């Protein structure tokens, strides 16, 4: 094997300068299979690759293939196979061993993961495939994109579940991706396409191995080569024996992951052997991912192959901390949290009660608005009184009414009751709050609103109004009805309730006016009498308080008797009395 490597290195001296060749020879023993040293990616722009590729192959520098879609999500979404296979190598037949993983319904079951956690690329994190797999509940996981062995930086474009995790700024390498319109992307992608928003998953590799079922290694080398790489020029990178990881798809649109065991420069396959192997598997399009010591396959959290990174104990090999990971998981729901109103099971939201699938984002009742007979709530339709059912489209059964038709009608001779209020609907010939009474004498029909039309009798059938029927009623009601008939037939004075009411009102008004006038008169008399008496009393008191004056009475001579002397006087009061 060392002899073959030496021959390849000598051949490649025509492509490398002395310094580049020295670097290659010094790094042949290293286990990292990163293809570029100075700058990851092709020296060509996407425009140059597109022009050259179109000129040489007559088609765009990528392929789109419709992804497989499983209608029955209960079917298995992944199948893992092991192989130990003999292939016809360029030199001698060789036996290769590894794993072949078929991913069904890849749009829902395959994701590109950043190392360790979302944002791992921006933090330059490196993590083992097993650790990243456990955090994301991957059933199967495999290493994916390249990374800078010095600082852990992600290389190539990385899109994880529609989110751009790393933008390579247009640097060209073969890429694998899934689009939101449910197609598989294989080939070279432009910066505009990465930023278009149509990419669901995307990861970069190096070398497009199989294109449309035919080998494409040599054509891809021309498009992706740079002057020197860590394991030598691009030719040497393609020819070195090593462990390999690849991703592609079969003719049914299933994504296929292929992992081959090996050790750089000692065991494994080169890209030409990989080309032969993948064609025998019948794959349509395949690109090469990070390999060598990075090649790791994890099944249910356990490493299933033989990665060979160094450990503290030199007698054993350990899993290498790598960059991005391809994760096969149970089908994702859309959205993954079922809008908080359901649980995701095999890609399908199992919605809580009253929430509509497939996204659990709409209440069942909101679709029909509860038939406009209720209010839509998280608990379902709250029906208005008189209605029931999930959509409030059912009326209460006969004999029931109210909220959720939970109350029973209390009626006797009825056709049921109002489903909203419970009001009894009486049969013809009955009346009353609970339809417990027959129609009064002289009336019949529904609610007893119709008068009997019998010429010589007050009685008629309370249901139909038919005359000449037997009756059973009180004497008072019969007498009253007969009296009304006599008045009507003989044109006697008929009691006019309206006129009587007017007369009553007039008399009441006149009585009120008369009473008011009488009261006013009595009040005036009382006030006058009181005033007079008071004046008289005051006058009397005044007279009593004045002193009595004596006045001399001048009489004509000879008028009085001789007994009265001239000096005697007569009181004034005696004069007044006189």
């Amino acid at each position: 094997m060392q002899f073959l490597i030496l021959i390849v290195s000598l051949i490649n001296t025509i492509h490398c300068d002395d310094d580049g060749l020295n670097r290659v020879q010094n790094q042949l023993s290293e286990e990292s299979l990163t293809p570029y040293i100075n700058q990851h990616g092709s020296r060509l722009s996407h425009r140059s690759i597109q022009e050259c590729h179109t000129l040489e192959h007559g088609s765009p520098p990528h392929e789109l293939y419709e992804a497989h879609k499983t209608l029955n999500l209960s079917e298995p979404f992944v199948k893992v196979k092991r192989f130990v296979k003999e292939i016809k190598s360029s030199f001698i037949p060789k036996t290769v061993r590894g794993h072949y993983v078929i991913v069904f319904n890849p749009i829902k079951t395959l994701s590109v993961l950043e190392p360790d956690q979302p944002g791992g690329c921006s933090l330059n994190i490196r993590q083992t495939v097993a650790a990243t797999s456990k955090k994301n509940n991957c059933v199967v996981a495999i290493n994916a994109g390249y990374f800078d062995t010095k600082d852990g930086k992600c290389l190539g474009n990385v899109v994880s579940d529609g989110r751009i995790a790393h933008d390579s700024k247009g640097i060209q390498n073969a890429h694998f991706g899934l689009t939101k319109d449910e197609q598989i992307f294989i080939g070279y992608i432009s910066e505009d396409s990465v930023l278009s928003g149509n990419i669901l998953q995307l990861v970069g590799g190096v070398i497009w191995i199989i294109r449309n079922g035919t080998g494409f290694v040599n054509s891809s080398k021309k498009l992706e080569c740079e002057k020197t790489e860590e394991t030598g020029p691009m030719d040497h990178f393609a020819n070195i024996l090593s462990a390999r990881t690849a991703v592609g798809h079969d003719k049914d649109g299933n994504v296929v992951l292929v992992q081959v065991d090996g050790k750089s420069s000692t065991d494994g396959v080169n890209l030409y052997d990989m080309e032969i192997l993948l064609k025998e598997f019948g794959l349509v399009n395949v690109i090469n991912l990070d390999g060598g010591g990075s090649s790791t396959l994890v099944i249910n959290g356990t490493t299933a192959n033989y990665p060979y990174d160094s450990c503290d104990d030199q007698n054993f090999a350990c899993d290498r901390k790598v960059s991005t990971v391809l994760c096969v998981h149970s089908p994702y729901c859309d959205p993954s949290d079922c809008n908080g109103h359901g649980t995701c099971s095999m890609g399908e939201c199992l919605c809580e009660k009253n929430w509509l699938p497939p996204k659990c984002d709409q209440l069942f009742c909101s679709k029909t608005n509860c038939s406009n007979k209720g209010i839509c709530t998280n608990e379902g339709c709250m029906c208005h009184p008189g209605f029931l059912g999930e959509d409030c489209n059912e009326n209460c059964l006969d004999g029931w009414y109210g909220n959720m038709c939970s109350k029973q009608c209390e009626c006797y001779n009825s056709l049921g009751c109002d489903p909203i209020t419970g009001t009894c609907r009486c049969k013809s010939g009955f009346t009353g709050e609970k339809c417990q009474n027959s129609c009064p004498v002289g009336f019949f029909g529904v609610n007893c609103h119709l008068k009997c039309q019998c010429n010589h009798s007050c009685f008629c059938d309370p249901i139909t109004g038919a005359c000449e029927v037997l009756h059973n009623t009180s004497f008072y009601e019969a007498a009253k009805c007969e009296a009304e008939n006599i008045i009507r037939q003989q044109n006697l004075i008929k009691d006019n309730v309206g006129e009587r009411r007017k007369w009553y009102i007039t008399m009441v008004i006149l009585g009120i006016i008369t009473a008011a006038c009488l009261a006013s008169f009595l009040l005036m008399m009382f006030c006058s009498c009181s005033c007079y008496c008071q004046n008289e009393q005051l006058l009397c008191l005044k007279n009593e308080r004045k002193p009595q004056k004596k006045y001399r009475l001048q009489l004509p001579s000879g008028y009085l008797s001789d007994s009265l002397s001239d000096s005697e006087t007569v009181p004034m009061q005696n004069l007044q009395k006189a």
Side-chain angles (χ1 to χ4, degrees):
M1 185 60 63
Q2 296 294 333
F3 176 75
L4 293 177
I5 295 174
L6 180 59
I7 292 175
V8 173
S9 299
L10 291 173
I11 293 173
N12 284 329
T13 54
I14 60 174
H15 299 289
C16 301
D17 56 20
D18 293 338
D19 294 337
L21 183 57
N22 291 334
R23 284 198 299 270
V24 170
Q25 291 173 342
N26 291 333
Q27 294 167 352
L28 284 175
S29 60
E30 293 185 5
E31 300 302 339
S32 176
L33 200 61
T34 304
Y36 300 104
I37 290 180
N38 296 327
Q39 180 180 348
H40 184 85
S42 171
R43 69 190 187 284
L44 301 176
S45 66
H46 182 266
R47 179 176 180 180
S48 299
I49 288 179
Q50 186 172 15
E51 291 176 352
C52 294
H53 191 277
T54 303
L55 182 63
E56 185 172 351
H57 299 281
S59 61
H62 63 264
E63 295 291 342
L64 290 172
Y65 202 91
E66 185 176 357
H68 173 265
K69 292 183 286 292
T70 302
L71 298 179
N72 186 1
L73 294 176
S74 63
E75 294 180 357
F77 58 88
V78 63
K79 186 179 292 185
V80 180
K81 300 180 180 181
R82 293 186 299 271
F83 63 86
V84 179
K85 189 175 179 63
E86 186 176 283
I87 62 172
K88 294 180 180 180
S89 179
S90 304
F91 299 98
I92 57 175
K94 65 169 60 178
T95 300
V96 296
R97 59 196 179 279
H99 293 82
Y100 184 91
V101 181
I102 306 173
V103 183
F104 304 99
N105 199 17
I107 299 297
K108 289 184 174 290
T109 60
L110 183 66
S111 295
V112 175
L113 302 180
E114 295 182 77
D116 190 64
Q117 62 187 13
C121 281
S122 61
L123 298 174
N124 294 345
I125 295 175
R126 290 171 59 185
Q127 185 57 276
T128 63
V129 176
T132 302
S133 172
K134 288 179 180 179
K135 286 188 175 182
N136 293 273
N137 298 318
C138 304
V139 177
V140 176
I142 197 169
N143 70 292
Y146 287 86
F147 59 94
D148 192 313
T149 56
K150 297 179 180 63
D151 59 15
K153 178 182 177 182
C154 295
L155 299 175
N157 294 296
V158 179
V159 177
S160 176
D161 294 329
R163 175 179 54 84
I164 299 176
H166 185 260
D167 183 4
S168 69
K169 306 300 181 182
I171 294 177
Q172 293 300 299
N173 282 109
H175 279 72
F176 164 83
L178 300 172
T179 66
K180 292 182 179 178
D181 53 3
E182 301 185 343
Q183 291 185 310
I184 299 172
F185 177 93
I186 297 282
Y188 302 100
I189 188 168
S190 67
E191 175 81 355
D192 292 339
S193 297
V194 173
L195 302 176
S196 66
N198 189 43
I199 304 298
L200 185 63
Q201 315 289 345
L202 187 67
V203 67
V206 175
I207 301 298
W208 190 346
I209 303 175
I210 300 290
R211 180 174 188 182
N212 292 331
T214 60
F216 202 67
V217 173
N218 287 327
S219 297
S220 184
K221 285 195 308 179
K222 295 177 183 178
L223 298 175
E224 297 189 46
C225 66
E226 196 186 31
K227 291 182 180 180
T228 58
E229 295 81 21
E230 288 187 15
T231 56
M234 185 63 75
D235 284 337
H236 181 67
F237 170 74
N239 283 288
I240 189 172
L241 296 179
S242 188
R244 299 286 181 176
T245 301
V247 59
H249 67 86
D250 60 19
K251 60 182 179 58
D252 296 322
N254 302 308
V255 170
V256 176
L257 309 175
V258 180
Q259 173 269 318
V260 176
D261 285 326
K263 182 175 173 63
S264 293
S265 304
T266 303
D267 190 16
V269 293
N270 59 35
L271 291 183
Y272 295 101
D273 295 333
M274 198 70 171
E275 186 178 80
I276 296 170
L277 178 66
L278 298 175
K279 284 197 293 184
E280 290 185 6
F281 283 145
L283 300 183
V284 180
N285 288 290
V286 185
I287 70 165
N288 177 63
L289 297 175
D290 189 13
S294 299
S295 185
T296 309
L297 178 71
V298 173
I299 301 174
N300 292 323
T302 303
T303 303
N305 70 318
Y306 297 92
Y308 50 87
D309 210 29
S310 60
C311 294
D312 294 337
D313 189 342
Q314 298 298 322
N315 293 318
F316 300 98
C318 293
D319 291 8
R320 174 178 292 174
K321 291 184 176 182
V322 296
S323 182
T324 52
V325 169
L326 282 172
C327 171
V328 184
H329 49 76
S330 59
Y332 280 164
C333 291
D334 181 22
S336 60
D337 64 347
C338 298
N339 285 301
H341 302 297
T343 55
C344 183
S345 176
M346 296 301 294
E348 185 175 357
C349 284
L350 302 180
C351 300
E352 296 172 355
K353 184 180 179 182
N354 301 320
W355 291 93
L356 284 174
K359 296 185 177 182
C360 305
D361 60 341
Q362 188 178 13
L363 285 167
F364 173 83
C365 49
S366 66
K367 191 174 183 180
T368 59
N369 198 26
C370 297
S371 303
N372 295 321
K373 299 173 183 176
I375 301 174
C376 185
T377 70
N378 289 350
E379 300 299 324
C381 284
M382 300 295 291
C383 300
H384 296 320
F387 302 96
L388 49 74
E390 289 186 354
D391 198 28
C392 300
N393 57 350
E394 301 175 19
N395 296 324
C396 289
L397 298 176
D398 289 341
W400 298 88
Y401 74 99
N403 289 327
M404 303 304 294
C405 302
S406 58
K407 298 180 180 179
Q408 193 169 9
C409 300
E410 297 180 1
C411 305
Y412 297 101
N413 303 294
S414 71
L415 300 173
C417 66
D418 186 279
I420 299 175
T421 63
T423 302
C424 295
R425 294 196 296 263
C426 299
K427 292 181 180 178
S428 181
F430 295 92
T431 187
E433 184 179 352
K434 296 183 179 181
C435 304
Q436 72 273 25
N437 302 323
S438 297
C439 287
V441 176
F443 295 89
F444 74 98
V446 178
N447 294 323
C448 303
H449 285 166
L450 301 177
K451 284 188 176 182
C452 296
Q453 302 297 322
C454 301
N455 294 329
H456 304 292
S457 174
C458 287
F459 304 101
C460 65
D461 187 284
I463 298 176
T464 64
C467 301
E468 305 298 335
V469 295
L470 295 176
H471 54 82
N472 181 18
T473 185
S474 66
F475 176 77
Y476 171 77
E477 292 293 336
K480 180 180 177 182
C481 180
E482 290 295 339
E484 289 179 351
N485 281 342
I486 293 172
I487 292 173
R488 183 171 60 253
Q489 292 173 3
Q490 297 186 8
N491 295 321
L492 298 178
I493 297 174
K494 193 183 241 184
D495 184 18
N496 191 323
V497 177
E499 292 295 329
R500 179 155 47 88
R501 184 180 293 111
K502 290 180 181 178
W503 187 81
Y504 284 160
I505 293 172
T506 302
M507 294 300 295
V508 169
I509 293 174
L510 289 176
I512 292 172
I513 294 173
T514 302
C517 292
L518 182 60
S520 299
F521 175 76
L522 294 175
L523 181 63
M524 291 175 62
M525 292 294 294
F526 176 76
C527 292
S528 299
C529 181
S530 298
C531 184
Y532 175 79
C533 293
Q534 289 177 0
N535 291 337
E536 285 293 321
Q537 186 176 6
L538 291 173
L539 182 61
C540 292
L541 291 174
K542 182 176 180 182
N543 292 333
E544 289 178 357
R545 291 174 181 174
K546 289 181 179 180
Q548 294 184 355
K549 293 181 179 181
K550 295 181 178 181
Y551 297 91
R552 185 175 181 84
L553 179 64
Q554 298 293 329
L555 296 175
S557 59
Y559 181 78
L560 297 174
S561 63
D562 296 335
S563 61
L564 181 66
S565 63
D566 294 339
S567 61
E568 292 180 345
T569 59
V570 181
M572 186 62 187
Q573 57 182 4
N574 294 331
L575 181 61
Q576 291 175 345
K577 289 180 180 180

